[in-house]
Amino acid sequence: MIIILAGLQGIRRPSTKRAAIDKAGRWKQFLHITLPGLRNPLIFVVMVTTIFAFRLFDQVYVMTSGGPNNATTTVMYQAVTSAF
């Protein structure tokens, strides 16, 4: 959240003010100004989250020996994919 907040603070105010003057709604401002401005922080957060999920997988897999019916692999896969 701190990284995304820092990314939000890095978006220039004149861009949003210009969009408001051009009668762009909140959704269009978000879609065309805010979201592209957050591209790099979001990529960083997704990459770090994925790396941490894979680092956690081996610990859980070793502790549960794969779980009943190899459920650890399935649960961890669902956890990684639901994060996105």
Side-chain angles (χ1 to χ4, degrees):
M1 287 310 289
I2 292 173
I3 294 170
I4 293 175
L5 179 62
L8 282 171
Q9 290 175 346
I11 296 174
R12 295 185 191 180
R13 275 288 190 220
S15 300
T16 56
K17 288 184 180 182
R18 277 188 236 128
I21 291 172
D22 289 340
K23 304 284 190 222
R26 292 269 188 192
W27 178 247
K28 287 204 176 205
Q29 285 181 15
F30 173 76
L31 197 60
H32 296 287
I33 295 172
T34 306
L35 200 57
L38 287 177
R39 189 184 82 214
N40 290 336
L42 286 175
I43 289 172
F44 176 75
V45 168
V46 167
M47 295 284 280
V48 169
T49 303
T50 303
I51 290 168
F52 285 152
F54 283 122
R55 285 181 56 195
L56 177 67
F57 173 78
D58 62 341
Q59 295 170 4
V60 174
Y61 191 78
V62 167
M63 286 174 38
T64 62
S65 298
N69 206 12
N70 223 3
T72 301
T73 308
T74 307
V75 171
M76 291 301 288
Y77 175 75
Q78 290 172 351
V80 169
T81 55
S82 68
F84 304 113

